[in-house]
Amino acid sequence: SAATPGPAFVSLAAETRTAVATATAAFHLSRKPQTLRGWACHEDGPIRPMRLHGRLAWRTADLRALLGVS
């Protein structure tokens, strides 16, 4: 049986959203989503998320700056 493809992510340079979900941010940072949730909870990561309606949103500008993407 063929493997089911995972979600497709847009390159960070082509991302048009101001902020992205935890799974997307984790993909770009090569980390597991739970790692980013830990950063949010303990406020000890290299970037901090916004909280929108009880959900985490990671600023695209912060991700680009952290990864050196223009």
Side-chain angles (χ1 to χ4, degrees):
S1 78
T4 304
F9 294 104
V10 172
S11 75
L12 197 52
E15 182 61 67
T16 58
R17 295 175 287 184
T18 316
V20 296
T22 299
T24 304
F27 169 80
H28 290 301
L29 295 172
S30 300
R31 298 285 182 265
K32 292 185 178 183
Q34 192 59 35
T35 300
L36 276 68
R37 290 185 199 105
W39 292 349
C41 182
H42 299 290
E43 297 187 350
D44 64 353
I47 58 176
R48 302 259 172 98
M50 301 183 295
R51 287 178 169 80
L52 300 172
H53 307 289
R55 295 184 152 275
L56 298 175
W58 302 83
R59 290 176 189 84
T60 308
D62 291 349
L63 293 169
R64 287 186 180 119
L66 183 62
L67 295 173
V69 174
S70 55

Coordinates of all heavy atoms in Angstrom, one line a residue:
S1 N 0.8 -1.2 0.0 CA 0.0 0.0 0.0 C 0.9 1.2 0.0 O 1.9 1.3 0.6 CB -0.9 0.0 1.2 OG -0.3 0.4 2.4
A2 N 0.4 2.3 -0.7 CA 1.2 3.5 -0.8 C 1.1 4.3 0.5 O 0.0 4.3 1.1 CB 0.7 4.3 -2.0
A3 N 2.1 5.0 0.8 CA 2.1 5.8 2.0 C 1.3 7.1 1.8 O 1.3 7.6 0.7 CB 3.5 6.2 2.4
T4 N 0.6 7.5 2.8 CA -0.2 8.7 2.6 C 0.7 9.9 2.8 O 1.4 10.0 3.8 CB -1.3 8.7 3.7 OG1 -2.1 7.6 3.6 CG2 -2.2 10.0 3.6
P5 N 0.7 10.8 1.8 CA 1.6 12.0 2.0 C 1.1 12.9 3.1 O -0.1 13.0 3.4 CB 1.4 12.7 0.7 CG 0.1 12.3 0.1 CD -0.1 10.9 0.6
G6 N 2.1 13.5 3.8 CA 1.8 14.4 4.9 C 1.3 15.7 4.4 O 1.2 15.9 3.2
P7 N 1.1 16.7 5.3 CA 0.7 18.0 4.8 C 1.8 18.7 4.0 O 3.0 18.5 4.3 CB 0.4 18.7 6.1 CG 1.1 18.0 7.2 CD 1.2 16.6 6.7
A8 N 1.4 19.4 3.0 CA 2.4 20.2 2.2 C 2.6 21.5 2.8 O 1.6 22.2 3.2 CB 1.8 20.3 0.8
F9 N 3.8 21.9 3.0 CA 4.2 23.2 3.6 C 4.8 24.1 2.5 O 5.6 23.7 1.7 CB 5.2 23.0 4.8 CG 4.6 22.3 5.9 CD1 4.9 21.0 6.2 CD2 3.7 22.9 6.8 CE1 4.4 20.3 7.3 CE2 3.2 22.2 7.9 CZ 3.5 20.9 8.1
V10 N 4.4 25.4 2.6 CA 5.0 26.4 1.7 C 6.4 26.7 2.2 O 6.5 26.8 3.5 CB 4.1 27.6 1.7 CG1 4.7 28.8 0.9 CG2 2.7 27.3 1.1
S11 N 7.3 27.1 1.4 CA 8.6 27.5 1.9 C 8.4 28.8 2.7 O 7.5 29.5 2.5 CB 9.6 27.7 0.7 OG 9.3 28.9 0.1
L12 N 9.3 28.9 3.7 CA 9.2 30.1 4.6 C 9.4 31.4 3.8 O 8.7 32.4 4.1 CB 10.2 30.0 5.7 CG 10.0 30.8 6.9 CD1 8.7 30.6 7.5 CD2 11.1 30.5 7.9
A13 N 10.2 31.4 2.8 CA 10.4 32.6 2.0 C 9.1 33.0 1.2 O 8.8 34.2 1.0 CB 11.5 32.4 1.0
A14 N 8.3 32.0 0.9 CA 7.1 32.2 0.1 C 5.8 32.3 1.0 O 4.7 32.6 0.5 CB 6.8 31.1 -0.9
E15 N 6.0 32.2 2.3 CA 4.8 32.2 3.2 C 4.3 33.6 3.2 O 5.0 34.6 3.4 CB 5.3 31.8 4.6 CG 4.2 31.8 5.6 CD 3.1 30.8 5.3 OE1 3.3 29.6 5.3 OE2 1.9 31.3 5.0
T16 N 2.9 33.7 3.1 CA 2.3 35.1 3.1 C 1.6 35.4 4.4 O 1.2 36.5 4.6 CB 1.3 35.2 1.9 OG1 0.3 34.1 2.0 CG2 2.0 35.1 0.5
R17 N 1.3 34.4 5.2 CA 0.6 34.6 6.4 C 1.5 35.3 7.4 O 2.7 35.1 7.4 CB 0.1 33.3 7.0 CG -0.9 32.6 6.2 CD -1.3 31.2 6.7 NE -0.2 30.3 6.5 CZ -0.2 29.0 6.7 NH1 -1.3 28.5 7.3 NH2 0.8 28.2 6.5
T18 N 0.9 36.1 8.3 CA 1.7 36.8 9.3 C 2.1 35.9 10.4 O 3.2 36.1 11.0 CB 0.8 37.9 10.0 OG1 0.1 38.6 9.0 CG2 1.6 38.9 10.8
A19 N 1.3 34.8 10.7 CA 1.7 33.8 11.7 C 1.2 32.5 11.2 O 0.2 32.4 10.4 CB 1.0 34.2 13.1
V20 N 1.8 31.4 11.7 CA 1.5 30.1 11.3 C 1.2 29.2 12.5 O 1.6 29.5 13.7 CB 2.6 29.4 10.4 CG1 2.7 30.2 9.1 CG2 3.9 29.4 11.2
A21 N 0.6 28.1 12.3 CA 0.2 27.1 13.4 C 1.5 26.4 13.9 O 2.6 26.5 13.2 CB -0.8 26.1 12.9
T22 N 1.4 25.8 15.0 CA 2.5 25.1 15.6 C 3.1 24.1 14.7 O 4.4 24.0 14.6 CB 2.1 24.5 17.0 OG1 1.7 25.6 17.8 CG2 3.3 23.8 17.6
A23 N 2.3 23.3 14.0 CA 2.8 22.2 13.2 C 3.7 22.8 12.0 O 4.7 22.2 11.7 CB 1.7 21.4 12.6
T24 N 3.2 23.9 11.5 CA 4.0 24.5 10.4 C 5.3 25.1 10.9 O 6.3 24.9 10.3 CB 3.1 25.6 9.7 OG1 1.9 25.1 9.3 CG2 3.8 26.3 8.6
A25 N 5.2 25.8 12.0 CA 6.5 26.4 12.6 C 7.4 25.3 12.9 O 8.6 25.4 12.7 CB 6.1 27.2 13.9
A26 N 7.0 24.2 13.5 CA 7.8 23.0 13.9 C 8.5 22.5 12.6 O 9.7 22.1 12.6 CB 7.0 22.0 14.6
F27 N 7.8 22.3 11.5 CA 8.3 21.8 10.3 C 9.5 22.7 9.8 O 10.6 22.2 9.5 CB 7.2 21.8 9.2 CG 7.8 21.6 7.8 CD1 8.1 20.3 7.4 CD2 8.0 22.6 6.9 CE1 8.6 20.0 6.1 CE2 8.5 22.4 5.7 CZ 8.8 21.1 5.3
H28 N 9.3 24.0 9.8 CA 10.3 24.9 9.4 C 11.6 24.9 10.3 O 12.7 25.1 9.8 CB 9.8 26.4 9.2 CG 8.9 26.5 8.1 ND1 9.2 26.3 6.8 CD2 7.6 26.9 8.1 CE1 8.2 26.5 6.0 NE2 7.2 26.9 6.7
L29 N 11.3 24.7 11.6 CA 12.4 24.7 12.6 C 13.0 23.3 12.7 O 14.0 23.2 13.5 CB 11.9 25.2 13.9 CG 11.5 26.7 13.9 CD1 10.8 27.0 15.2 CD2 12.7 27.6 13.6
S30 N 12.5 22.3 12.0 CA 13.0 20.9 12.2 C 12.9 20.4 13.6 O 13.8 19.8 14.2 CB 14.4 20.8 11.6 OG 14.5 21.1 10.3
R31 N 11.8 20.7 14.2 CA 11.5 20.3 15.6 C 10.2 19.7 15.6 O 9.3 19.8 14.7 CB 11.5 21.5 16.6 CG 12.8 22.3 16.7 CD 13.8 21.5 17.5 NE 15.1 22.2 17.7 CZ 16.1 22.0 16.9 NH1 16.1 21.2 15.8 NH2 17.2 22.6 17.1
K32 N 9.9 18.9 16.7 CA 8.5 18.4 16.9 C 7.6 19.4 17.4 O 8.1 20.3 18.2 CB 8.6 17.2 17.8 CG 9.3 16.0 17.2 CD 9.3 14.8 18.1 CE 10.0 13.6 17.5 NZ 9.9 12.4 18.3
P33 N 6.3 19.4 17.0 CA 5.4 20.4 17.6 C 5.4 20.5 19.1 O 5.3 21.5 19.7 CB 4.0 19.9 17.1 CG 4.4 19.2 15.8 CD 5.7 18.5 16.1
Q34 N 5.6 19.3 19.8 CA 5.6 19.3 21.2 C 6.7 20.2 21.8 O 6.6 20.8 22.8 CB 5.6 17.9 21.8 CG 5.3 17.8 23.2 CD 4.0 18.3 23.6 OE1 3.0 18.2 22.9 NE2 3.9 18.9 24.8
T35 N 7.8 20.2 21.1 CA 9.0 21.1 21.5 C 8.6 22.5 21.5 O 8.8 23.2 22.5 CB 10.2 20.9 20.6 OG1 10.6 19.5 20.6 CG2 11.3 21.7 21.0
L36 N 7.8 23.0 20.5 CA 7.4 24.3 20.4 C 6.4 24.6 21.5 O 6.3 25.7 22.1 CB 6.8 24.7 19.0 CG 7.9 25.1 18.0 CD1 8.8 23.9 17.6 CD2 7.3 25.7 16.8
R37 N 5.5 23.7 21.8 CA 4.5 23.8 22.9 C 5.2 24.0 24.2 O 4.8 24.8 25.0 CB 3.6 22.7 22.9 CG 2.6 22.6 21.7 CD 1.6 21.5 21.8 NE 1.0 21.2 20.5 CZ 1.3 20.2 19.8 NH1 2.1 19.2 20.2 NH2 0.8 20.0 18.6
G38 N 6.3 23.2 24.4 CA 7.1 23.4 25.6 C 7.7 24.8 25.7 O 7.7 25.4 26.8
W39 N 8.3 25.3 24.6 CA 8.8 26.6 24.6 C 7.7 27.6 25.0 O 8.0 28.6 25.8 CB 9.3 27.0 23.2 CG 10.5 26.3 22.7 CD1 11.3 25.5 23.4 CD2 11.0 26.3 21.4 NE1 12.3 25.0 22.6 CE2 12.2 25.5 21.4 CE3 10.7 26.9 20.2 CZ2 12.9 25.3 20.2 CZ3 11.4 26.7 19.1 CH2 12.5 25.9 19.1
A40 N 6.5 27.5 24.5 CA 5.4 28.4 24.8 C 5.1 28.3 26.3 O 4.9 29.3 26.9 CB 4.2 28.1 23.9
C41 N 5.0 27.1 26.8 CA 4.6 26.9 28.2 C 5.6 27.4 29.1 O 5.3 28.1 30.1 CB 4.4 25.4 28.4 SG 3.8 25.0 30.0
H42 N 6.9 27.1 28.9 CA 8.0 27.5 29.8 C 8.5 28.9 29.5 O 9.4 29.4 30.2 CB 9.1 26.5 29.8 CG 8.6 25.1 30.2 ND1 8.2 24.8 31.5 CD2 8.4 24.0 29.5 CE1 7.9 23.6 31.6 NE2 7.9 23.0 30.4
E43 N 8.1 29.4 28.3 CA 8.7 30.7 27.8 C 10.2 30.8 27.8 O 10.8 31.7 28.3 CB 8.1 31.9 28.7 CG 6.6 32.0 28.6 CD 6.0 33.2 29.2 OE1 6.7 33.9 30.0 OE2 4.8 33.5 29.0
D44 N 10.8 29.7 27.3 CA 12.2 29.6 27.3 C 12.8 29.3 25.9 O 14.0 28.9 25.8 CB 12.7 28.5 28.3 CG 12.2 27.1 28.0 OD1 11.4 26.9 27.0 OD2 12.6 26.1 28.6
G45 N 12.0 29.4 24.9 CA 12.5 29.1 23.6 C 13.1 30.3 22.9 O 13.1 31.4 23.4
P46 N 13.7 30.0 21.7 CA 14.3 31.2 21.0 C 13.3 32.2 20.4 O 13.7 33.3 20.1 CB 15.1 30.5 19.8 CG 14.4 29.2 19.7 CD 13.9 28.8 21.0
I47 N 12.1 31.7 20.3 CA 11.0 32.7 19.9 C 9.8 32.4 20.7 O 9.6 31.3 21.3 CB 10.7 32.5 18.3 CG1 10.2 31.1 18.0 CG2 11.8 33.0 17.5 CD1 9.8 30.9 16.6
R48 N 8.9 33.4 20.8 CA 7.7 33.3 21.6 C 6.5 33.3 20.7 O 6.5 34.2 19.8 CB 7.6 34.4 22.6 CG 8.8 34.4 23.6 CD 8.4 33.8 24.9 NE 9.6 33.7 25.8 CZ 9.9 34.6 26.7 NH1 9.2 35.7 26.9 NH2 11.0 34.4 27.4
P49 N 5.5 32.5 21.0 CA 4.3 32.6 20.1 C 3.3 33.7 20.6 O 3.4 34.2 21.7 CB 3.7 31.2 20.3 CG 4.0 30.9 21.7 CD 5.4 31.5 21.9
M50 N 2.3 34.0 19.7 CA 1.2 34.8 20.1 C 0.1 33.8 20.5 O 0.2 32.6 20.1 CB 0.6 35.5 18.9 CG 1.6 36.5 18.2 SD 0.8 37.4 16.9 CE 0.4 36.1 15.7
R51 N -0.8 34.2 21.3 CA -1.9 33.3 21.7 C -3.2 34.0 21.1 O -3.6 35.1 21.5 CB -2.0 33.2 23.2 CG -0.9 32.3 23.7 CD -0.9 32.1 25.2 NE 0.0 31.0 25.6 CZ 1.3 31.2 25.8 NH1 1.9 32.3 25.5 NH2 2.0 30.2 26.2
L52 N -3.9 33.2 20.2 CA -5.1 33.7 19.5 C -6.2 32.8 19.8 O -6.2 31.6 19.4 CB -4.9 33.8 18.0 CG -3.8 34.8 17.5 CD1 -3.6 34.6 16.0 CD2 -4.2 36.2 17.9
H53 N -7.2 33.2 20.6 CA -8.4 32.4 21.0 C -7.9 31.1 21.5 O -8.5 30.0 21.2 CB -9.3 32.2 19.7 CG -9.6 33.5 19.0 ND1 -10.5 34.4 19.6 CD2 -9.2 34.0 17.9 CE1 -10.7 35.4 18.8 NE2 -9.9 35.2 17.8
G54 N -7.0 31.1 22.4 CA -6.5 29.9 23.1 C -5.6 29.0 22.3 O -5.2 27.9 22.7
R55 N -5.2 29.4 21.1 CA -4.3 28.7 20.3 C -3.0 29.4 20.1 O -2.9 30.6 20.2 CB -4.9 28.4 18.9 CG -6.1 27.5 19.0 CD -6.6 27.2 17.6 NE -7.3 26.0 17.5 CZ -6.8 24.8 17.4 NH1 -5.5 24.7 17.2 NH2 -7.5 23.7 17.3
L56 N -1.9 28.7 19.8 CA -0.6 29.3 19.6 C -0.5 29.6 18.1 O -0.9 28.9 17.2 CB 0.5 28.3 20.0 CG 0.5 27.9 21.4 CD1 1.6 26.8 21.6 CD2 0.8 29.0 22.3
A57 N 0.1 30.8 17.9 CA 0.4 31.2 16.5 C 1.8 31.8 16.5 O 2.2 32.6 17.4 CB -0.6 32.3 16.0
W58 N 2.7 31.3 15.6 CA 4.1 31.7 15.6 C 4.3 32.7 14.4 O 3.9 32.4 13.3 CB 4.9 30.4 15.3 CG 4.7 29.4 16.4 CD1 3.6 28.5 16.5 CD2 5.4 29.2 17.6 NE1 3.7 27.8 17.6 CE2 4.8 28.2 18.4 CE3 6.5 29.9 18.1 CZ2 5.3 27.8 19.6 CZ3 7.0 29.4 19.4 CH2 6.4 28.4 20.1
R59 N 4.8 33.9 14.8 CA 5.0 34.9 13.8 C 6.0 34.5 12.7 O 7.1 34.0 13.0 CB 5.6 36.2 14.5 CG 4.6 36.9 15.4 CD 5.2 38.0 16.1 NE 4.3 38.6 17.1 CZ 4.2 38.0 18.4 NH1 4.9 37.0 18.8 NH2 3.4 38.6 19.2
T60 N 5.6 34.7 11.5 CA 6.4 34.3 10.4 C 7.7 35.1 10.4 O 8.8 34.6 10.1 CB 5.7 34.5 9.0 OG1 4.4 33.9 9.1 CG2 6.4 34.0 7.9
A61 N 7.6 36.4 10.7 CA 8.8 37.2 10.8 C 9.9 36.7 11.8 O 11.1 36.7 11.6 CB 8.5 38.7 11.1
D62 N 9.4 36.2 13.0 CA 10.3 35.6 14.0 C 11.0 34.4 13.4 O 12.1 34.2 13.7 CB 9.5 35.3 15.2 CG 9.0 36.5 16.0 OD1 9.4 37.6 15.7 OD2 8.2 36.3 16.9
L63 N 10.2 33.5 12.7 CA 10.8 32.3 12.2 C 11.8 32.7 11.1 O 12.9 32.1 11.1 CB 9.7 31.5 11.5 CG 8.6 30.8 12.4 CD1 7.5 30.3 11.6 CD2 9.3 29.8 13.3
R64 N 11.5 33.6 10.3 CA 12.5 34.0 9.2 C 13.8 34.6 9.9 O 14.9 34.3 9.4 CB 11.9 35.1 8.3 CG 10.9 34.6 7.4 CD 10.4 35.6 6.4 NE 9.4 35.1 5.5 CZ 8.2 35.5 5.4 NH1 7.8 36.6 6.1 NH2 7.4 35.0 4.5
A65 N 13.6 35.4 10.9 CA 14.8 36.0 11.6 C 15.6 34.9 12.2 O 16.9 34.9 12.1 CB 14.3 37.0 12.6
L66 N 15.0 34.0 12.9 CA 15.7 32.9 13.6 C 16.5 32.0 12.6 O 17.6 31.6 12.9 CB 14.7 32.0 14.4 CG 15.3 30.9 15.2 CD1 16.2 31.4 16.3 CD2 14.1 30.1 15.8
L67 N 15.9 31.8 11.4 CA 16.5 30.9 10.4 C 17.3 31.7 9.4 O 18.0 31.1 8.5 CB 15.4 30.1 9.7 CG 14.7 29.1 10.6 CD1 13.5 28.5 9.8 CD2 15.6 28.1 11.1
G68 N 17.3 33.0 9.5 CA 18.1 33.8 8.5 C 17.5 33.8 7.1 O 18.3 33.9 6.2
V69 N 16.2 33.7 7.0 CA 15.5 33.7 5.7 C 15.0 35.1 5.5 O 14.4 35.7 6.3 CB 14.4 32.7 5.7 CG1 13.6 32.8 4.4 CG2 14.9 31.3 5.9
S70 N 15.3 35.6 4.3 CA 14.8 37.0 4.0 C 13.5 36.9 3.1 O 13.1 35.9 2.6 CB 15.8 37.8 3.2 OG 16.3 37.1 2.1

